[in-house]
Amino acid sequence: MIEELRIRDLGVIADTTLPLGPGFTAITGETGAGKTMVVSALGLLMGERSDAGAVRSGAAQARVNGIIRTVDPEVAELVEEIGGDVEEGELVLSRTVSAEGRSRASVGGASAPVGSLGRLADHLFAVHGQSEQLRLRSQSAQRDTLDRFGGDELAGVLAEYRAAHRGRAELEATVVELTAARDERAAEAERLRAELEEISGVDPVPGEEAELTRRIEVLSNVEALRAATSTAHEALASESDDPLVRDATSLVDEAAKEVERVADHDERLGEVLETLRAASLQLSEAARELASYATDLDEEGPGELARANDRLADLTALFRRYGEDSAAVVEYSRVGAGRLAELDGDDERIDELAARLEAERERERALAERLSALRSEAAGRLSGLVTAELRQLALPDADFIVSVSPLETLGGSGADEVQLLLAPHPGAQPRPIAKSASGGELSRVMLALEVVVAGVDPVPTFVFDEVDAGVGGAAAIEIGRRLARLARSSQVIVVTHLAQVAAFANNHLQVVKDSAGGFTESSCTRLDGEARLAEMARLLSGLSDSGSALEHAAELLALREAD
């Protein structure tokens, strides 16, 4: 429910606040006073397209603020998702439109995309005007109206059907894609099989190319390595029988013996002795390692270098095709094996999916049939209730018929074509409301529909822009009554030019035009007592002080009290 609406610099309205609140609010005013701007302001709060031309002349921007009272958990969840807050059931919406055409929105105190207002509007408002009458002429809108009336059971089956329809369509697309690409997948599988066979023949091990490179370097220089290590070993630990040959180990050992012989005379030589002994051990260890290294070189076969080069060449060939190193080639092989298994299983998968698809088609058809049955049952009830409403809206001989007929194919909302038909008088052939109803009749059909549907699927706020167009007299009185009835369960805001309709409002607002000072400026005033009688008289006769009109206005207000 909209508690308050503030409009600044929109059209002829400079700055005004509309106290709305619960029940039925009627908005009246002279032609050109700016009543339409009230509907435009509500439209901006609902996320409708902005128009820079609607910004008041000389103003930098137009601004609309609305205070909404709501306890709907879905609305609170949407607001929280947007980043705003609903504080103690109160939601503040705002929209600004600059003279250059830029538009901004705020939801619950947080800046938000304008589109978020539209998402919220689906839960908060229903606007009816000439554009909505045109929309109702579309078959999808007519089907949606019937579905709203169908209640929770129909809504649940419809949601289940739509999920099944989407699932079946996606599964069908997968089967078509797999079947159409069978030859391509077979060629891909053959290529992968050959590649994996080639990689398996070499059987690379991650990191082995680095070890191969090192081994090749050693094997390519084995003679030089053998000579160098032999000479080094001889220098450290000579095996010569020549008494004149002195190696490093024996020289260090001899030095250690000499220092040990005199170390007792000076304690400083103890550290030197330890160093010499450590050096002797290190030289002996180095000599052993050189001997072992030389033995390993002697054991290398003459074909080892050739084998290492061949292995590296095989790996390099794989690197050129499948990855920068052996680890990458192994990963390529792993991924390829998984893909090959998937491709090899395609035929089985197609058969399995085809069986699932047939089951999904059966489920979709069964849900469509159930949906059609629920719609047909709801159509009969809706037809009778709306016809009864039309009897009270000065269409005593009209018959409203909701037709549900089968479509040849299943669509996103089932297999039904829904048409709203009207037979304006006995014996007339029922025809689509777009062709059989005049503007005034269409307004009354829409009102009757909303009164009936609201009993099943109420909307928090209804906004009607001249729903009484083309009617008058008794029909207008009944429209007022029906709007008042609708206001028992929802907030109803009506822009009207008929006193017969305004009389049934519990809240009457007048948009007043002031042309003083050479420019037009409008504001909004709540009417009570004599002021309301005067406005009602003006609506009836064009004169606010006409005695007969004032009497008639009082009679109309008494009708509301009697109801």
Side-chain angles (χ1 to χ4, degrees), residues 135-392:
R135 190 190 74 82
L136 192 59
R137 297 181 182 187
S138 76
Q139 289 189 358
S140 62
Q142 294 179 32
R143 184 187 60 240
D144 291 345
T145 299
L146 175 60
D147 289 347
R148 279 181 59 205
F149 177 75
D152 292 341
E153 184 180 6
L154 194 153
V157 174
L158 178 59
E160 193 175 354
Y161 169 81
R162 284 174 171 165
H165 179 75
R166 287 193 302 270
R168 189 270 306 159
E170 291 170 2
L171 189 58
E172 192 169 58
T174 300
V175 171
V176 169
E177 181 184 356
L178 288 173
T179 304
R182 195 190 299 261
D183 290 342
E184 291 181 14
R185 293 196 314 278
E188 183 185 357
E190 190 61 30
R191 175 182 60 79
L192 278 173
R193 201 170 280 109
E195 291 176 347
L196 294 176
E197 186 176 344
E198 180 184 2
I199 294 172
S200 178
V202 177
D203 194 19
V205 176
E208 70 169 304
E209 63 270 23
E211 176 62 20
L212 279 171
T213 300
R214 187 193 67 78
R215 291 290 298 146
I216 289 170
E217 179 68 19
V218 170
L219 293 170
S220 297
N221 296 279
V222 69
E223 292 303 327
L225 291 169
R226 185 178 287 118
T229 55
S230 177
T231 301
H233 183 270
E234 186 67 18
L236 291 177
S238 175
E239 297 178 357
S240 173
D241 294 333
D242 186 347
L244 297 178
V245 174
R246 308 292 299 279
D247 57 40
T249 302
S250 61
L251 289 173
V252 170
D253 287 344
E254 184 177 340
K257 289 178 182 179
E258 289 299 319
V259 172
E260 185 179 12
R261 187 171 59 81
V262 296
D264 291 341
H265 303 308
D266 189 342
E267 61 181 11
R268 289 181 300 168
L269 291 176
E271 293 180 4
V272 176
L273 179 59
E274 289 303 319
T275 301
L276 289 170
R277 287 172 176 169
S280 176
L281 289 173
Q282 290 176 340
L283 290 172
S284 297
E285 181 63 25
R288 283 193 297 273
E289 289 179 2
L290 286 170
S292 176
Y293 184 83
T295 299
D296 290 342
L297 288 177
D298 289 339
E299 290 177 356
E300 301 291 354
E304 182 69 19
L305 178 60
R307 287 192 295 273
N309 278 319
D310 289 344
R311 177 67 178 174
L312 187 58
D314 290 342
L315 289 173
T316 302
L318 293 182
F319 299 163
R320 285 196 294 267
R321 297 188 60 187
Y322 307 119
E324 61 184 3
D325 54 27
S326 54
V329 174
V330 170
E331 177 63 14
Y332 182 92
S333 177
R334 185 191 68 78
V335 173
R339 174 61 176 162
L340 182 59
E342 180 183 328
L343 293 170
D344 285 342
D346 271 353
D347 287 339
E348 290 183 14
R349 186 169 177 235
I350 289 173
D351 292 340
E352 177 190 343
L353 290 178
R356 279 179 52 198
L357 177 59
E358 187 55 37
E360 287 298 310
R361 284 172 175 159
E362 285 297 326
R363 179 168 175 269
E364 182 186 15
R365 281 192 290 267
L367 286 168
E369 290 174 3
R370 187 177 169 198
L371 188 58
S372 296
L374 289 171
R375 280 176 173 155
S376 295
E377 188 274 333
R381 289 188 291 113
L382 183 59
S383 298
L385 291 171
V386 173
T387 295
E389 284 294 321
L390 292 177
R391 297 277 192 274
Q392 304 301 318

Side-chain angles (χ1 to χ4, degrees), residues 447-513:
L447 178 56
L449 269 172
E450 284 299 353
V451 169
V452 172
V453 174
V456 178
D457 182 32
V459 173
T461 297
F462 288 97
V463 180
F464 292 95
D465 185 11
E466 298 194 3
V467 69
D468 50 19
V471 299
I477 290 174
E478 291 307 322
I479 287 177
R481 280 200 173 101
R482 287 311 178 273
L483 289 168
R485 179 186 299 177
L486 186 60
R488 294 172 188 170
S489 58
S490 302
Q491 180 185 41
V492 175
I493 302 169
V494 180
V495 174
T496 182
H497 63 283
L498 293 180
Q500 293 93 330
V501 172
F504 287 89
N506 60 287
N507 182 32
H508 190 157
L509 305 180
Q510 181 185 23
V511 180
V512 181
K513 179 171 62 175

Side-chain angles (χ1 to χ4, degrees), residues 389-421:
E389 284 294 321
L390 292 177
R391 297 277 192 274
Q392 304 301 318
L393 290 171
L395 289 172
D397 300 319
D399 280 323
F400 180 81
I401 299 163
V402 182
S403 167
V404 180
S405 54
L407 294 170
E408 293 183 1
T409 58
L410 297 177
S413 295
D416 305 310
E417 178 185 29
V418 176
Q419 281 191 302
L420 305 184
L421 309 175

